[in-house]
């Protein structure tokens, strides 16, 4: 499966962005999906994940209440709506797909089999 992330950009603190992750090759409704992010000089970290059906979501403490992950399996796309953005949200954002039978999104990068190319989000103060 190929994942294509888009929607990043430059935004002022307090602003919003919506990231999209379009999948091709295979239907994403077979996969748990997640968004990770990596700031300069830091390790890639989990931001949000969503189950195959979209009924359950998991967020890191740093984005809980500000970010919303969703999916539309009919168009093979996963979204990340980001509100109340902060300068510390600046990072490259990656979408990822987990092909295992795992139900709950994992927060570990090693559990994801496919990755998108990343999209840059920059939040100015």
């Amino acid at each position: 499966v190929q994942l294509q992330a888009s929607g990043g950009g430059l935004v002022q603190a307090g602003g919003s962005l919506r990231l999209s992750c379009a999948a091709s090759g295979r239907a994403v409704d077979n996969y748990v999906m997640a968004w990770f992010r990596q700031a300069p000089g830091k390790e890639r970290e989990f931001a949000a994940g969503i189950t195959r059906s979209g009924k359950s979501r998991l967020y890191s403490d740093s984005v809980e209440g500000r970010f919303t992950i969703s999916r539309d399996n009919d168009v093979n796309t996963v979204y990340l709506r980001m509100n109340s953005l902060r300068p510390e949200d600046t990072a490259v954002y990656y979408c990822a797909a987990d092909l295992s039978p795992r139900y709950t999104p994992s927060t570990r990068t090693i559990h994801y089999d496919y990755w998108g190319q990343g999209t840059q989000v920059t939040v100015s103060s």
Side-chain angles (χ1 to χ4, degrees), residues 26-97:
R26 297 174 70 175
V28 294
D29 57 359
N30 291 319
Y31 312 138
V32 167
M33 299 293 293
W35 286 94
F36 285 75
R37 63 186 186 180
Q38 188 166 19
K42 295 187 176 181
E43 292 187 353
R44 193 170 298 188
E45 65 174 10
F46 175 85
I50 189 167
T51 56
R52 291 171 183 78
S53 66
K55 292 181 179 179
S56 295
R57 301 171 174 87
L58 179 68
Y59 298 97
S60 67
D61 290 343
S62 59
V63 309
E64 177 86 52
R66 300 186 298 121
F67 290 12
T68 302
I69 187 171
S70 62
R71 66 192 300 161
D72 186 341
N73 289 338
D74 290 339
V75 295
N76 260 7
T77 302
V78 178
Y79 304 97
L80 186 67
R81 176 68 180 183
M82 305 184 295
N83 294 329
S84 302
L85 283 162
R86 305 167 180 168
E88 54 263 40
D89 294 317
T90 295
V92 177
Y93 283 72
Y94 298 90
C95 58

